[in-house]
Amino acid sequence: MSTPDRIRRKDPCPCGSGKRYKHCCGAESGAASAAAGNPIASATSRVSAPGTRAAADEPDRSRATALCDYHLSVLFDGVKAGGLDFYATYRACMEASRTEVRLWKALRRAQRAYNLARYFHRTLPLPGARAECGVLRGFSALLVSKVARSVAPDNRGAGLHLVDSFEGLSLPGPHDAIGTDTLPDGSVRFQYGARQGDLASPLERVRNVLREFPEITFHKGWIPEVLHALPETPWAFVHIDVDLYDPTLACLEYFVPRMAPGGVIVNDDYASPLFPGGGRAWDDYCGPRQLVTAALDTGQAVLVKGA
């Protein structure tokens, strides 16, 4: 097999949007949305020159953003996560972490965040520490920390452990491939949704996003080695968002035996079209052990220890 390669820009996007990859998940960030200051709609496609075919196909961003905001308000107005107004907190965390999401997946992104916040909140009465593996810009860590503070106003982040290389993805393997190409010599080249080093976010930048919670513990390093720096303690909640097969499997191997009774693991990548390795690792670990898990419509999966 040849050296791994990522999906080609002209291929259909594996997310299922119907667009080419270069105009969807592979697109560069473009012009700011008409809804200035709205992080949910700020990552738009490039604005095309008037009169071009691309310009003719480009949606009316103002209308699309307004319609997206309408649906989000219908779905989430008045919804609570802990003692917080979920949607207001969600938007604040998106803005603080400078996390952007494209319009076509804005509704799903918000629902995923809500699921995460609710499962986290449910575990707060349990003894044990909490961890997130795969931190990126700090959005979800900030969200759950705010939820914890809504229950315990003096919360400064103690007991929350954040694990990440802060140098981007490790090298994808065959389990992470979203497709293959057969080359003229008969060899096979894997296609990946992202490549080694993508999705990097410097540790100091993430620390700044989470500065309200100075007692959070950061663990910089590569999974699985960095997991051995964690305290030997029961775990009440673990969020796995590491995208690839090998680190997802390593997280499950480490945390599942150490979960407190009733503790929850949320896998963010169970049905990710760009990162299928996250779901394959989950099935390869949980299936042979006959662990009962829930697959959510948002592409997440949940394991409750002892269920």
Side-chain angles (χ1 to χ4, degrees):
M1 289 180 292
S2 64
T3 304
D5 194 11
R6 71 190 305 184
I7 188 170
R8 294 168 298 189
R9 286 173 55 74
K10 292 185 178 181
D11 287 343
C13 189
C15 69
S17 67
K19 303 177 184 179
R20 289 185 177 183
Y21 179 64
K22 67 179 181 178
H23 293 312
C24 190
C25 294
E28 299 175 1
S29 294
S33 168
N38 182 355
I40 295 167
S42 60
T44 61
S45 301
R46 291 191 299 270
V47 176
S48 305
T52 65
R53 179 177 178 180
D57 293 340
E58 194 167 274
D60 180 333
R61 287 287 163 184
S62 260
R63 290 184 59 205
T65 298
L67 185 59
C68 178
D69 285 343
Y70 170 80
H71 288 300
L72 286 166
S73 67
V74 169
L75 292 170
F76 295 110
D77 273 359
V79 171
K80 297 289 185 180
L84 300 174
D85 179 296
F86 166 73
Y87 187 45
T89 305
Y90 171 74
R91 290 188 57 155
C93 292
M94 293 281 282
E95 184 173 357
S97 61
R98 299 178 66 185
T99 298
E100 298 178 342
V101 60
R102 297 186 183 279
L103 286 170
W104 65 266
K105 60 179 180 180
L107 302 183
R108 183 176 179 179
R109 183 68 180 86
Q111 186 64 58
R112 288 160 69 91
Y114 178 66
N115 292 346
L116 182 71
R118 290 287 295 170
Y119 278 104
F120 179 85
H121 178 257
R122 178 60 65 93
T123 67
L124 286 176
L126 298 179
R130 290 156 178 81
E132 178 175 68
C133 299
V135 180
L136 195 58
R137 297 178 179 87
F139 160 75
S140 54
L142 183 60
L143 176 65
V144 298
S145 295
K146 287 179 178 290
V147 169
R149 190 170 61 187
S150 75
V151 175
D154 60 346
N155 174 57
R156 291 166 55 83
L160 178 59
H161 297 261
L162 303 184
V163 179
D164 202 300
S165 70
F166 299 99
E167 296 177 17
L169 297 177
S170 54
L171 183 67
H175 290 297
D176 302 302
I178 58 176
T180 58
D181 283 329
T182 301
L183 302 180
D185 62 3
S187 63
V188 174
R189 177 176 59 189
F190 290 113
Q191 299 173 350
Y192 296 115
R195 57 188 172 186
Q196 185 176 15
D198 283 354
L199 306 179
S201 188
L203 173 56
E204 289 311 311
R205 184 184 181 283
V206 179
R207 282 189 190 274
N208 185 56
V209 170
L210 294 162
R211 61 188 178 277
E212 297 176 55
F213 302 95
E215 295 179 17
I216 289 176
T217 304
F218 293 85
H219 302 270
K220 184 180 187 300
W222 296 100
I223 296 169
E225 292 80 10
V226 69
L227 298 177
H228 299 292
L230 294 171
E232 192 59 51
T233 184
W235 296 89
F237 181 86
V238 176
H239 179 212
I240 301 174
D241 190 7
V242 292
D243 301 326
L244 304 180
Y245 181 93
D246 286 344
T248 299
L249 184 62
C251 286
L252 292 168
E253 291 172 339
Y254 180 86
F255 283 109
V256 172
R258 295 171 170 83
M259 296 301 292
V264 170
I265 298 178
V266 176
N267 176 12
D268 227 54
D269 300 309
Y270 181 68
S272 169
L274 288 177
F275 299 108
R280 291 167 182 162
W282 184 271
D283 288 342
D284 285 352
Y285 182 87
C286 297
R289 294 166 176 81
Q290 298 184 324
L291 299 176
V292 178
T293 67
L296 308 184
D297 289 345
T298 52
Q300 297 158 299
V302 182
L303 169 65
V304 182
K305 185 65 178 287

